[in-house]
Amino acid sequence: MQIATLLLALAACLNEASAFSPVAQRAHHMPLVIRRQQTATSSATVVLRMSDSGGGGGGGMEKQKSKKQSLGTALIDKTETQMQEDEVPEEQWRVVLHNDEVHTFNYVIRSLQKVMGTLDKKKAFDICTVTHGQGQATVTTCWKEQAMKYCLGLQRQGLTASIAPESKFEGGGGGGGPESG
């Protein structure tokens, strides 16, 4: 719609400016049809009058020796396609802590608090007991990039951890994370 408005304003300015030109007064006016088409909504047609002076827009008669006048109609079609983006929510990932017989409860609790930063001792202890009893426990659920950071942090502490997409998660240890309680 902005293009059609701009073209109408331009045509009005050119029409007013060419009214004072001796070449424009002699020239025949030919309609210029501009069609704007939108695939999603509707199409609009704008008719503009344009004089064909043949002088390249100079408005003067300096080199106007030819008596031929060529008039034509310009048809401009512009099709705008509107892209629709489907926003797919990013899948949630679980950070899973696996049981090992090497580390003490106190070490695992301190490691969880250090890496996660938001866990208090009670929640970290709950994760430890679920991990010890079931073999694994969900530490937290978050987006993939953050889950990878948490997993690497836990592995740097010497703990066995992994990540799994929420949709394909299989296994026990469904609780204990900061978002779950």
Side-chain angles (χ1 to χ4, degrees):
M1 193 65 185
Q2 293 174 351
I3 294 172
T5 307
L6 183 63
L7 287 174
L8 283 174
L10 180 62
C13 290
L14 288 176
N15 199 12
E16 289 176 14
S18 65
F20 298 106
S21 170
V23 176
Q25 290 174 355
R26 288 181 314 158
H28 297 285
H29 292 288
M30 190 70 186
L32 171 67
V33 179
I34 299 175
R35 182 175 294 140
R36 181 171 181 239
Q37 200 171 32
Q38 292 181 346
T39 56
T41 56
S42 64
S43 89
T45 303
V46 179
V47 177
L48 301 175
R49 300 239 174 232
M50 183 176 96
S51 65
D52 187 12
S53 62
M61 294 179 36
E62 298 83 44
K63 296 186 180 182
Q64 184 93 18
K65 293 182 181 175
S66 173
K67 300 257 179 178
K68 283 177 143 182
Q69 289 184 348
S70 61
L71 299 175
T73 301
L75 181 64
I76 302 171
D77 285 336
K78 183 175 181 178
T79 304
E80 291 181 3
T81 57
Q82 295 178 350
M83 304 274 294
Q84 292 181 354
E85 294 183 17
D86 295 335
E87 287 191 24
V88 178
E90 189 173 354
E91 186 175 17
Q92 293 287 303
W93 288 69
R94 288 186 182 208
V95 179
V96 181
L97 178 65
H98 300 275
N99 189 28
D100 63 14
E101 299 298 328
V102 178
H103 300 98
T104 64
F105 266 49
N106 286 335
Y107 179 78
V108 175
I109 291 170
R110 281 186 307 219
S111 297
L112 284 170
Q113 287 181 311
K114 180 178 180 181
V115 172
M116 302 304 292
T118 58
L119 288 177
D120 59 8
K121 278 189 176 186
K122 168 88 170 89
K123 288 188 179 186
F125 179 78
D126 291 343
I127 293 171
C128 286
T129 55
V130 171
T131 303
H132 185 70
Q134 296 182 3
Q136 64 184 12
T138 300
V139 177
T140 188
T141 303
C142 55
W143 63 94
K144 185 177 182 179
E145 185 178 329
Q146 187 64 43
M148 289 174 64
K149 289 179 183 177
Y150 287 150
C151 182
L152 288 173
L154 292 171
Q155 289 172 352
R156 284 188 189 118
Q157 296 294 318
L159 303 176
T160 306
S162 64
I163 62 171
E166 181 73 26
S167 62
K168 297 181 181 173
F169 183 77
E170 295 176 9
E179 284 85 24
S180 64

